[in-house]
Amino acid sequence: MVKLLQVAALTNGRKKVSIWDCWLLQHCLWDSPEDREKIYDWYAARVGTSAAMDPSRLTKIVVSWESKLHADRESRSQMRDAQGRLLYKSADGTPTLNTKGRFQGKRGADPLYLAPANSLDEHGRAVADRTHGGKGFTLAELANYRVRPDSWNHQYIQHWGDRAAYIADYSNWFVVELDLSALMEPTRHKGVYVEASLREVDVLKVEVTKYKAQLHQHIQAMEKDI
């Protein structure tokens, strides 16, 4: 083994054996193959940089903290009012304490309406139920219905002069009650959580500082032996 280390030093242009040449001893000192890794770990822990921090472990820690930071940034919580009560998003987008709201019903993407008062269906019959059996009407379904401004004048709704004003009037909408969605905001993490995270980061900073110092020492030792 001594001669092996001497050859390693000579072939690297040095006149004496360096501690770095002893890396080869892991291949010489084992009795069974599984012992080689133990010998290397013993060697690396004393002359390598792994005594302070394993670089692969540092990489895993950085990835873990980046993932945690991303999760914290993306986290959302339901808003509360000054009394701590949960807030919901009303139909007009404003905060409300109500859990339900009234919205214009839709069938697919089509908004729903009530039939005009005193209107006639496509068969000329008077419309008795403006809600269409609790289902509401789409504008396409009302197209062939007629309105009766007076007993002598009938107009198809699609050609009715007051059609735009009619469908813009909330009182003519077919309204349904729906659950309101929660009003969300970025999560406000508690001070205890933030402080604990900062303490963990501080501990890692100390480990990294030690690692850098030890790494610098080894670089200097290697430069001296070259």
Side-chain angles (χ1 to χ4, degrees):
M1 286 188 288
V2 171
K3 290 181 179 180
L4 174 65
L5 299 180
Q6 289 174 335
V7 170
L10 183 63
T11 54
N12 281 281
R14 288 180 275 105
K15 295 182 179 180
K16 63 179 182 178
V17 172
S18 164
I19 188 67
W20 306 105
D21 296 316
C22 294
W23 178 84
L24 294 169
L25 295 178
Q26 63 178 304
H27 301 292
C28 307
L29 295 173
W30 53 268
D31 293 321
S32 57
E34 57 269 19
D35 291 337
R36 187 205 63 77
E37 187 174 347
K38 297 178 182 178
I39 296 169
Y40 171 76
D41 290 343
W42 182 92
Y43 169 80
R46 285 155 179 78
V47 300
T49 57
S50 60
M53 174 177 283
D54 181 358
S56 63
R57 173 174 170 264
L58 178 59
T59 301
K60 293 177 182 178
I61 290 172
V62 170
V63 171
S64 175
W65 273 97
E66 286 179 343
S67 176
K68 183 177 181 181
L69 177 61
H70 177 74
D72 286 345
R73 285 176 172 172
E74 296 299 316
S75 177
R76 294 292 184 271
S77 302
Q78 188 170 359
M79 292 181 64
R80 296 177 181 269
D81 65 6
Q83 288 73 45
R85 296 173 295 184
L86 294 174
L87 293 173
Y88 297 84
K89 187 177 182 180
S90 64
D92 60 3
T94 57
T96 178
L97 295 173
N98 297 324
T99 59
K100 294 185 178 295
R102 295 175 64 78
F103 297 83
Q104 183 176 20
K106 289 186 176 182
R107 186 171 303 126
D110 297 323
L112 299 175
Y113 300 88
L114 301 175
N118 300 318
S119 58
L120 303 174
D121 65 17
E122 64 269 25
H123 303 294
R125 297 173 301 201
V127 176
D129 181 8
R130 296 184 65 198
T131 70
H132 196 202
K135 297 183 294 184
F137 293 89
T138 65
L139 290 178
E141 291 169 339
L142 288 174
N144 293 321
Y145 280 47
R146 290 173 288 173
V147 293
R148 297 184 294 179
D150 54 59
S151 58
W152 304 102
N153 185 19
H154 295 179
Q155 298 179 23
Y156 283 103
I157 290 178
Q158 60 181 336
H159 303 304
W160 184 26
D162 293 331
R163 178 178 179 274
Y166 181 85
I167 63 179
D169 187 344
Y170 174 84
S171 65
N172 296 320
W173 293 0
F174 179 75
V175 177
V176 294
E177 188 173 71
L178 299 174
D179 291 331
L180 296 178
S181 58
L183 194 61
M184 308 299 287
E185 65 177 351
T187 299
R188 299 179 182 181
H189 296 290
K190 295 181 179 180
V192 174
Y193 174 82
V194 175
E195 291 173 2
S197 298
L198 291 175
R199 283 195 298 270
E200 290 184 44
V201 172
D202 288 339
V203 170
L204 290 173
K205 286 171 64 178
V206 171
E207 290 188 42
V208 170
T209 300
K210 290 180 179 178
Y211 174 73
K212 289 174 63 179
Q214 189 176 27
L215 183 61
H216 182 66
Q217 292 175 359
H218 286 288
I219 291 174
Q220 289 182 319
M222 292 179 70
E223 290 176 343
K224 181 179 178 181
D225 288 334
I226 293 175

